[in-house]
């Protein structure tokens, strides 16, 4: 075997080894959670990946609609907040990304620097200020305030992503549109936005998944059981010392992935599409 073939074999072996290890790290906890959701009882001590006596009791318990476990209401709350956060993030980031990519105005560089600095400040440090703001606005326990906070938190980093993507779209397209009499608004909606679909899909995915995985901010704003989102409600299932139900928690956690999977399937074809290249041909 030549040195070149041997080197190639070593690289392939290492690559497949890394992929196998990463797959195990991702799939093993998922398989354990799925198995736990079908195991009878509430403890994880007697659970296994392949249940000996599988049951759907935990899934039925989630949707019985009891006062102590309004899982259906939590699910609706989470999907509503995620959907409107996604829509708001797409709209706001599209405007900010286009403005920073296509226009030169006073304070542009300083604003981008501020956006970068905002990412270095942990969300936890602003919780007290956000709670005081919610009290001042009389919007404690408000889903709409939580949506606005999520959108505001998504703008800085996603603006960087959107700006970088729009910078790759040739300026010649804008200039040609201007020559043909198109306004900035028409250029934005009919040229830039269609070519930015791959990055819009990324922003949409970020906007939808962030609320579904957030516990800290939502637990500060939301105070009543009926207003809880899934992360807060499920946390309460395992927070009780005597009544913790880890298997029911596992069932509820598995069901969170359903809307994420649906959104991913709807956006999947836009993640890798080469619309920018296609827009410059002809």
């Amino acid at each position: 075997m030549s040195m070149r073939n041997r080197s190639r074999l070593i690289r392939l072996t290492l690559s497949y080894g890394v992929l196998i290890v990463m797959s195990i790290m991702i799939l093993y906890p998922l398989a354990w959670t799925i198995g736990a959701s079908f195991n009878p009882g509430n403890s994880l001590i007697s659970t296994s990946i392949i249940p000996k006596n599988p049951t759907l009791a935990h899934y039925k318990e989630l949707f019985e609609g009891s006062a102590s476990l309004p899982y259906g209401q939590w699910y609706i709350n989470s999907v509503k907040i995620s959907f409107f956060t996604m829509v708001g993030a797409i709209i706001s980031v599209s405007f900010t990304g286009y403005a920073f990519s296509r226009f030169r105005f006073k304070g542009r560089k300083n604003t981008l620097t501020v956006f970068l600095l905002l990412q270095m400040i942990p969300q936890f440090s602003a919780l007290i200020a956000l709670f005081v703001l919610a009290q001042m606005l009389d919007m404690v326990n408000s889903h709409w305030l939580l949506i606005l906070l999520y959108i505001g938190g998504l703008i800085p980093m996603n603006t960087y992503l959107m700006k970088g993507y729009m910078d790759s779209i040739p300026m010649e397209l804008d200039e040609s549109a201007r020559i043909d009499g198109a306004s900035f608004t028409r250029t934005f909606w009919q040229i830039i936005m269609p070519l930015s679909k791959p990055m819009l899909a990324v922003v949409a995915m970020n906007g939808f998944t962030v609320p579904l995985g957030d516990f800290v901010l939502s637990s500060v704003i939301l105070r009543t059981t009926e207003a809880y989102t899934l992360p807060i409600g499920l946390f309460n299932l395992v927070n009780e010392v005597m009544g913790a139900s880890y298997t029911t928690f596992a069932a509820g956690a598995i069901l969170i992935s359903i809307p994420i999977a649906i959104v991913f399937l709807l956006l999947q074809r836009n993640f890798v599409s080469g619309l920018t290249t296609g827009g410059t041909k002809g």
Side-chain angles (χ1 to χ4, degrees):
M1 182 182 293
S2 64
M3 290 295 295
R4 178 179 297 178
N5 291 335
R6 184 178 302 175
S7 177
R8 182 180 180 185
L9 179 60
I10 293 175
R11 288 198 301 269
L12 286 175
T13 302
L14 291 175
S15 299
Y16 281 112
V18 172
L19 289 175
I20 292 173
V21 171
M22 295 299 296
S23 298
I24 293 174
M25 293 175 62
I26 295 173
L27 295 177
Y28 181 77
L30 179 60
W32 186 271
T33 304
I34 294 175
S37 69
F38 289 102
N39 273 274
N42 294 327
S43 176
L44 290 178
I45 298 177
S46 59
T47 60
S48 59
I49 295 181
I50 302 177
K52 295 181 181 179
N53 300 304
T55 176
L56 294 174
H58 304 303
Y59 290 94
K60 294 178 181 178
E61 180 183 356
L62 291 174
F63 292 99
E64 285 179 351
S66 62
S68 60
L69 184 58
Y71 184 81
Q73 185 62 49
W74 297 343
Y75 210 97
I76 293 173
N77 294 340
S78 293
V79 172
K80 180 187 76 173
I81 292 173
S82 294
F83 175 77
F84 285 107
T85 299
M86 177 183 68
V87 173
I90 291 174
I91 295 173
S92 57
V93 171
S94 298
F95 290 153
T96 56
Y98 178 70
F100 284 111
S101 175
R102 287 309 197 250
F103 299 103
R104 299 296 180 266
F105 49 88
K106 188 176 181 180
R108 175 177 174 273
K109 291 184 179 180
N110 292 335
T111 305
L112 289 173
T113 303
V114 170
F115 279 1
L116 183 61
L117 293 175
L118 287 174
Q119 300 305 305
M120 302 178 183
I121 303 175
Q123 186 186 62
F124 186 82
S125 62
L127 291 180
I128 296 177
L130 293 177
F131 181 71
V132 172
L133 176 65
Q135 286 187 318
M136 293 175 60
L137 297 176
D138 194 22
M139 296 185 71
V140 175
N141 219 43
S142 171
H143 290 164
W144 295 110
L145 176 62
L146 194 59
I147 290 170
L148 292 176
L149 293 177
Y150 283 139
I151 294 174
L154 288 167
I155 287 177
M157 182 53 67
N158 285 281
T159 294
Y160 261 95
L161 296 176
M162 184 62 70
K163 174 190 175 299
Y165 190 89
M166 288 183 175
D167 286 344
S168 66
I169 300 176
M171 285 292 295
E172 288 79 3
L173 295 176
D174 300 57
E175 295 171 357
S176 298
R178 295 293 295 171
I179 293 174
D180 292 337
S183 62
F184 287 112
T185 303
R186 185 175 180 183
T187 302
F188 172 75
W189 287 113
Q190 296 187 0
I191 297 178
I192 303 300
M193 290 296 285
L195 294 177
S196 300
K197 282 184 178 180
M199 186 52 63
L200 289 174
V202 174
V203 174
M205 198 67 196
N206 289 339
F208 192 84
T209 55
V210 165
L212 287 176
D214 175 70
F215 170 79
V216 177
L217 179 59
S218 57
S219 63
V220 171
I221 303 299
L222 305 179
R223 294 294 175 171
T224 62
T225 303
E226 294 76 14
Y228 282 170
T229 56
L230 286 174
I232 309 176
L234 292 178
F235 172 77
N236 289 334
L237 288 179
V238 295
N239 191 40
E240 300 178 8
V241 178
M242 301 301 295
S245 179
Y246 292 96
T247 48
T248 306
F249 173 89
I254 291 299
L255 294 177
I256 294 178
S257 62
I258 294 178
I260 298 177
I262 293 174
V263 172
F264 178 80
L265 291 175
L266 292 175
L267 300 175
Q268 184 182 17
R269 65 187 182 89
N270 290 318
F271 284 126
V272 292
S273 59
L275 292 177
T276 303
T277 304
T280 59
K281 292 182 180 180

